[in-house]
Amino acid sequence: MSADVLENLVSLAKRRGFVYQSSEIYGGAASVWDYGPLGVELKRNLQDRWWRDMVRLRDDIEGLDSAILMHPKVWEASGHVSGFVDPLVECKNCKRRFRADEPALKGEPGSPQAQCPACGMKGTIGEARQFNLMFKTFMGPVEESAAVVYLRPETAQGTYVNFLNVQQATRQKVPFGIAQIGKAFRNEITPGNFIFRTREFEQMEMQFFVEPGTDMDWFQKWRAWRMEWHLGLGLARDRLKFYDQAKEELAHYARAATDIHFDFGGSLGFAEIEGVHNRGDFDLTQHQTVSGKRLEYVDQPNNKRYIPYIVETACGPNRTLLALLVNGYAEEKVEGEEEGRTLLRLQPALAPIKAGVFPLVKKDGMPEFATKLAAEMRQRFPVFYDESGAIGRRYRRQDEVGTPFCVTIDGQTLQDSTVTIRDRDTLKQDRVAADRVTDWITEKLSS
Ligand code: GAP
């Protein structure tokens, strides 16, 4: 992302109520962010789209909402206690810590040539050691090792331990999936790039249980479907690409993995917004062994029993939201006007506010007409009523937050009950009967 676009986006996000730094009045909590009135709408619209496409529109995927805190044995079985680590180095001079593979770190850690990317001293970077990314806390009132629990670093494990509960309750047959949206926590060594890498974030994950031997076919299918889904959000085709992980890059659980990368531009460039993983039978076998409970699927008609393989799709709504902002952000000249405009080209269905409603002037009954119309429209979708300032300014304020339509009540409205609807992208104005406006906009919101 070019420094300017990121800076502009961070400032727009704060000014207009998309994203604020957490605990800002205390100087901020590092790399933790709060979503304001428009941010929460946009994030919810994105999550609702995922839930609709992954759960509601399919009869082979069920929903789940498992808890963040789980039995600590889950994380031993899953390999996270021993294997969810990043190599960490520390500068003996400035005490700053970095990932050992941080590109700005020059020289081999522990050697006299190693140079600290923060203070610039040479020979002060110690040898790399493994740092576990899970947050630890205590369950109950006693802070002792027996009470240690972890904040989950992925939603997936909550799905695996519920695999048979869901399968038996729904009578689903393999192949089928379980989807969930929820918080995850990772004590990242180097978070950053605004909301791209944070220590608290959300995941939209789906685990698809398949018969062993069919796993690579399903992996290929999900890889393609998930790319189509991102294109369907309006992300530009040339900003999206697959990144197939090489064997040595694979996580401890994966047999194959492809990331979907979005081009954020500037120094971040192409970076992961979703991972599609073939996890084989690693997770269910581990949970079966450690818990001592059978986690096999019984295929009665075919007289088979087996531990299903799992194909996982793991998408981050925070990163995808950032991708939508970067993808949609534009600064444009407007013909006949000195001041240009900033706009967010968000799909109408994803935009936080669907319509601005403006009386042209604050008299002649226009505000009354507009207020009544806005109240009717609000029954169906979020509307912003604005009567302050010049009409051009009101349009600009909505362009900047991605509002696709602006409805203006003018002199003609009082004569024939028609209003204008201005399109954010084309600037074209249609004149529509006021009692048709809600339906007219609702039609444009279906995607
Ligand atoms: N269950 C598999 C799993 O967690 P992952 O590739 O580590 O896979 C999946 O994470 C997605 O979660 C990523 O593609 C990304 O969108 C999001 N994600 C992971 N770590 C993140 C972080 N520190 N901040 C924001 N999003 C993150």
Side-chain angles (χ1 to χ4, degrees), residues 92-128:
K92 295 186 185 96
N93 180 50
C94 70
K95 310 284 180 230
R96 294 278 300 274
R97 291 172 165 194
F98 311 92
R99 281 175 63 125
D101 53 6
E102 160 71 48
L105 177 68
K106 302 276 178 305
E108 187 60 29
S111 75
Q113 289 76 38
Q115 186 177 14
C116 174
C119 71
M121 285 276 270
K122 271 192 174 175
T124 53
I125 296 284
E127 302 236 349

Coordinates of all heavy atoms in Angstrom, one line a residue, residues 92-128:
K92 N 20.0 -6.4 22.5 CA 20.5 -6.2 23.9 C 20.6 -4.7 24.2 O 20.6 -4.3 25.4 CB 21.9 -6.9 24.1 CG 21.8 -8.4 24.0 CD 23.1 -9.1 24.3 CE 23.0 -10.5 24.0 NZ 23.5 -10.9 22.7
N93 N 20.7 -3.9 23.2 CA 20.9 -2.5 23.4 C 19.5 -1.8 23.7 O 19.3 -1.2 24.7 CB 21.6 -1.8 22.2 CG 21.8 -0.3 22.5 OD1 22.2 0.1 23.5 ND2 21.4 0.5 21.5
C94 N 18.6 -1.9 22.7 CA 17.4 -1.1 22.8 C 16.2 -2.0 23.4 O 15.1 -1.5 23.6 CB 17.0 -0.4 21.5 SG 16.4 -1.6 20.2
K95 N 16.5 -3.3 23.5 CA 15.5 -4.2 24.1 C 14.3 -4.5 23.2 O 13.3 -5.1 23.6 CB 14.9 -3.8 25.5 CG 16.0 -3.4 26.5 CD 16.7 -4.6 27.0 CE 17.8 -4.3 28.0 NZ 19.0 -5.0 27.8
R96 N 14.3 -4.0 22.0 CA 13.2 -4.2 21.1 C 13.3 -5.7 20.6 O 14.4 -6.3 20.5 CB 13.3 -3.3 19.8 CG 13.0 -1.8 20.2 CD 11.6 -1.5 20.3 NE 10.8 -1.7 19.1 CZ 10.7 -0.9 18.1 NH1 11.3 0.3 18.2 NH2 10.0 -1.2 17.0
R97 N 12.1 -6.2 20.3 CA 12.0 -7.6 19.8 C 11.5 -7.7 18.4 O 10.6 -6.9 18.0 CB 11.1 -8.4 20.7 CG 11.7 -8.6 22.1 CD 10.7 -9.2 23.1 NE 11.4 -9.7 24.2 CZ 10.9 -10.5 25.2 NH1 9.7 -10.9 25.0 NH2 11.6 -10.9 26.2
F98 N 12.0 -8.6 17.6 CA 11.6 -8.8 16.2 C 11.5 -10.2 15.9 O 12.1 -11.1 16.6 CB 12.7 -8.2 15.3 CG 13.2 -6.8 15.7 CD1 14.2 -6.7 16.5 CD2 12.5 -5.7 15.2 CE1 14.7 -5.4 16.9 CE2 12.9 -4.5 15.6 CZ 14.0 -4.3 16.4
R99 N 10.8 -10.5 14.8 CA 10.8 -11.9 14.2 C 12.2 -12.0 13.6 O 12.7 -11.1 13.0 CB 9.7 -12.0 13.1 CG 8.4 -12.2 13.7 CD 7.4 -12.3 12.5 NE 7.7 -13.4 11.6 CZ 6.8 -14.3 11.3 NH1 5.6 -14.2 11.8 NH2 7.1 -15.3 10.5
A100 N 12.7 -13.2 13.8 CA 14.1 -13.5 13.3 C 14.1 -13.3 11.7 O 15.2 -13.1 11.2 CB 14.6 -14.9 13.7
D101 N 13.0 -13.5 11.1 CA 12.9 -13.4 9.6 C 12.5 -12.0 9.1 O 12.1 -11.8 8.0 CB 12.1 -14.5 9.0 CG 10.7 -14.5 9.6 OD1 10.3 -13.6 10.4 OD2 9.9 -15.4 9.3
E102 N 12.5 -11.0 10.0 CA 12.2 -9.7 9.7 C 13.1 -9.2 8.6 O 14.3 -9.2 8.7 CB 12.3 -8.8 11.0 CG 12.5 -7.3 10.8 CD 11.2 -6.7 10.4 OE1 10.1 -6.9 11.0 OE2 11.2 -5.9 9.4
P103 N 12.5 -8.7 7.4 CA 13.4 -8.4 6.3 C 14.4 -7.2 6.6 O 15.5 -7.2 6.1 CB 12.4 -7.9 5.2 CG 11.1 -8.4 5.6 CD 11.1 -8.6 7.1
A104 N 14.0 -6.3 7.6 CA 14.9 -5.2 7.9 C 16.1 -5.6 8.7 O 17.0 -4.8 8.9 CB 14.1 -4.1 8.6
L105 N 16.1 -6.8 9.3 CA 17.1 -7.3 10.1 C 18.3 -7.8 9.3 O 18.1 -8.7 8.5 CB 16.6 -8.4 11.0 CG 17.6 -9.1 12.0 CD1 18.0 -8.1 13.1 CD2 16.9 -10.3 12.6
K106 N 19.5 -7.1 9.4 CA 20.6 -7.5 8.5 C 21.6 -8.4 9.3 O 21.8 -8.1 10.5 CB 21.4 -6.2 8.1 CG 20.5 -5.2 7.3 CD 20.4 -5.6 5.8 CE 19.6 -4.6 5.0 NZ 18.2 -4.4 5.4
G107 N 22.1 -9.4 8.7 CA 23.1 -10.3 9.3 C 22.4 -11.4 10.1 O 21.2 -11.3 10.5
E108 N 23.2 -12.4 10.4 CA 22.7 -13.6 11.1 C 22.5 -13.3 12.6 O 23.5 -12.8 13.2 CB 23.8 -14.7 10.9 CG 23.4 -16.1 11.4 CD 22.2 -16.7 10.8 OE1 21.9 -16.4 9.6 OE2 21.5 -17.5 11.4
P109 N 21.3 -13.5 13.1 CA 21.1 -13.3 14.6 C 22.2 -14.0 15.4 O 22.5 -15.1 15.1 CB 19.7 -13.8 14.9 CG 19.0 -13.8 13.6 CD 20.0 -14.0 12.5
G110 N 22.7 -13.3 16.4 CA 23.7 -13.8 17.3 C 25.2 -13.5 16.8 O 26.1 -13.7 17.5
S111 N 25.3 -13.1 15.5 CA 26.6 -12.8 15.0 C 27.0 -11.3 15.1 O 26.1 -10.5 15.3 CB 26.6 -13.1 13.5 OG 26.0 -12.1 12.7
P112 N 28.3 -11.0 15.1 CA 28.7 -9.6 15.3 C 28.1 -8.7 14.2 O 28.0 -7.5 14.3 CB 30.2 -9.6 15.2 CG 30.6 -11.1 15.3 CD 29.4 -11.9 14.9
Q113 N 27.8 -9.3 13.0 CA 27.3 -8.4 11.9 C 25.8 -8.1 12.0 O 25.3 -7.1 11.4 CB 27.5 -9.2 10.5 CG 28.9 -9.3 10.0 CD 29.6 -10.4 10.8 OE1 29.1 -11.4 11.1 NE2 30.9 -10.2 11.1
A114 N 25.1 -8.8 12.9 CA 23.7 -8.6 12.9 C 23.4 -7.2 13.4 O 23.9 -6.8 14.5 CB 23.0 -9.7 13.9
Q115 N 22.5 -6.5 12.7 CA 22.3 -5.1 13.0 C 20.8 -4.9 13.4 O 19.9 -5.4 12.7 CB 22.6 -4.2 11.8 CG 22.5 -2.7 12.1 CD 23.0 -1.9 10.9 OE1 23.1 -2.4 9.8 NE2 23.2 -0.6 11.2
C116 N 20.6 -4.2 14.5 CA 19.2 -3.9 14.9 C 18.5 -3.0 14.0 O 19.0 -1.9 13.7 CB 19.3 -3.4 16.3 SG 17.6 -2.9 16.9
P117 N 17.3 -3.4 13.5 CA 16.6 -2.5 12.6 C 16.0 -1.3 13.3 O 15.7 -0.3 12.7 CB 15.4 -3.4 12.1 CG 15.5 -4.7 12.7 CD 16.6 -4.6 13.7
A118 N 16.0 -1.3 14.6 CA 15.4 -0.1 15.4 C 16.5 0.9 15.8 O 16.4 2.0 15.4 CB 14.6 -0.6 16.6
C119 N 17.5 0.4 16.5 CA 18.5 1.4 17.0 C 19.8 1.4 16.2 O 20.6 2.3 16.3 CB 18.9 1.1 18.5 SG 19.9 -0.4 18.7
G120 N 19.9 0.5 15.2 CA 21.0 0.5 14.3 C 22.3 0.0 14.8 O 23.3 -0.1 14.1
M121 N 22.4 -0.5 16.1 CA 23.6 -1.0 16.7 C 23.9 -2.4 16.0 O 23.0 -3.2 15.7 CB 23.4 -1.3 18.2 CG 23.5 0.0 19.0 SD 25.2 0.5 19.4 CE 25.4 -0.4 21.0
K122 N 25.2 -2.7 15.9 CA 25.7 -4.0 15.4 C 26.1 -4.9 16.5 O 26.7 -4.4 17.5 CB 26.8 -3.7 14.4 CG 26.4 -3.5 13.0 CD 27.5 -3.6 12.0 CE 27.0 -3.5 10.6 NZ 28.1 -3.4 9.6
G123 N 25.9 -6.2 16.3 CA 26.3 -7.2 17.3 C 25.5 -7.3 18.5 O 25.9 -7.9 19.5
T124 N 24.4 -6.6 18.6 CA 23.5 -6.6 19.8 C 22.3 -7.5 19.7 O 21.5 -7.6 20.6 CB 23.0 -5.2 20.1 OG1 22.4 -4.7 18.9 CG2 24.2 -4.3 20.5
I125 N 22.1 -8.1 18.5 CA 21.0 -9.0 18.3 C 21.3 -10.4 18.7 O 22.2 -11.0 18.2 CB 20.6 -9.0 16.8 CG1 20.1 -7.6 16.3 CG2 19.5 -10.0 16.5 CD1 18.7 -7.2 16.8
G126 N 20.6 -10.9 19.7 CA 20.9 -12.2 20.3 C 20.4 -13.4 19.3 O 19.7 -13.1 18.3
E127 N 20.7 -14.6 19.7 CA 20.3 -15.7 18.9 C 18.7 -15.9 18.9 O 18.1 -15.4 19.9 CB 20.9 -17.0 19.5 CG 22.4 -17.0 19.6 CD 23.0 -18.2 18.9 OE1 22.2 -19.1 18.6 OE2 24.2 -18.2 18.7
A128 N 18.2 -16.5 17.9 CA 16.8 -16.6 17.8 C 16.3 -17.7 18.8 O 17.0 -18.7 19.1 CB 16.4 -17.1 16.4

